[in-house]
Amino acid sequence: MTLFGDGLEAAVQKAFTRPAPKSAPARMRYLVRQLKGTKQVAQLLRVSQRTVERYVKDQIKKPRPDLAARLEREVNKRWQPQIRARARQTAATTGGIVIDTRARIGYTAPVGSTDDARVRHLTVALPPQYAARLFDAQQAGAGDQQLQRIAAEGLKEVYFQDGGRRAGSLEEVRLTDVEHVEFEL
């Protein structure tokens, strides 16, 4: 589980205008339409083609827990791609992104300052350029560490330095031991 990647994905899913299909047969029919065939869906979900056909015809209604999780993940990944793209574009150009996190936050600063990391609960609105960087990194397949660094840079600029009005000598902000992270577009 990637905390930051899943958090970004959940924020984008809040922009959906219609709920994704809930039942296993409806989800299977959706995937068959999207991938244009039962064979491709069977390979994607690692089940037999006949199993997919039985779900499509409502002969099976309740999948195994592992198949149900894969089915839900694959449908959510493909659901409303235009709405998803529009939400990302809006956040990256005009809206920005709000990060709500509880984590151990420390920083590197000149000698004489108290830079010990401590657990903080922050809710900060990051400017659009950080939303763009987060979404671009996520699209490029970046791991949680890289997304965490981008979020830490945004917190440094907005929370600690207040857009350049204070803490000008602050060098680096470290975000570790993340207990909770949630994004809002």
Side-chain angles (χ1 to χ4, degrees):
M1 182 180 102
T2 63
L3 202 57
F4 280 78
D6 291 346
L8 286 171
E9 199 57 42
V12 170
Q13 287 178 7
K14 289 177 188 174
F16 287 167
T17 56
R18 292 187 338 248
K22 296 289 183 213
S23 71
R27 286 178 175 168
M28 202 64 81
R29 284 190 289 274
Y30 174 76
L31 284 177
V32 168
R33 275 194 311 272
Q34 290 296 306
L35 299 176
K36 298 178 179 28
T38 56
K39 185 175 183 178
Q40 294 85 343
V41 175
Q43 290 172 347
L44 177 71
L45 297 174
R46 298 187 308 272
V47 295
S48 71
Q49 185 174 354
R50 180 68 185 126
T51 301
V52 172
E53 292 167 355
R54 291 173 65 200
Y55 274 106
V56 168
K57 292 179 182 177
D58 276 336
Q59 293 173 347
I60 305 176
K61 296 184 189 285
K62 184 91 169 112
R64 302 181 313 269
D66 61 325
L67 177 58
R70 286 195 307 265
L71 190 57
E72 181 180 9
R73 185 180 61 247
E74 293 300 330
V75 167
N76 284 339
K77 193 187 303 182
R78 290 168 174 76
W79 187 249
Q80 292 192 328
Q82 293 166 335
I83 302 290
R84 183 186 308 264
R86 191 176 327 129
R88 284 186 175 128
Q89 183 66 27
T90 301
T93 55
T94 58
I97 193 166
V98 175
I99 181 173
D100 177 52
T101 186
R102 179 172 168 79
R104 184 169 300 282
I105 301 174
Y107 49 87
T108 306
V111 177
S113 64
T114 56
D115 59 353
D116 288 339
R118 66 177 192 253
V119 175
R120 299 174 194 241
H121 182 209
L122 299 177
T123 302
V124 178
L126 299 179
Q129 65 262 26
Y130 287 102
R133 286 181 58 197
L134 283 166
F135 286 129
D136 289 345
Q138 183 188 30
Q139 295 290 85
D144 236 25
Q145 294 293 340
Q146 188 175 356
L147 295 173
Q148 197 169 328
R149 277 194 298 276
I150 294 169
E153 289 174 27
L155 290 174
K156 171 188 164 192
E157 181 184 316
V158 175
Y159 179 76
F160 289 104
Q161 293 183 326
D162 195 16
R165 288 189 280 278
R166 60 189 166 120
S169 60
L170 195 63
E171 297 169 13
E172 176 192 20
V173 171
R174 291 180 308 281
L175 192 65
T176 57
D177 300 336
V178 179
E179 296 173 11
H180 158 80
V181 67
E182 192 172 310
F183 294 96
E184 190 76 35
L185 302 180

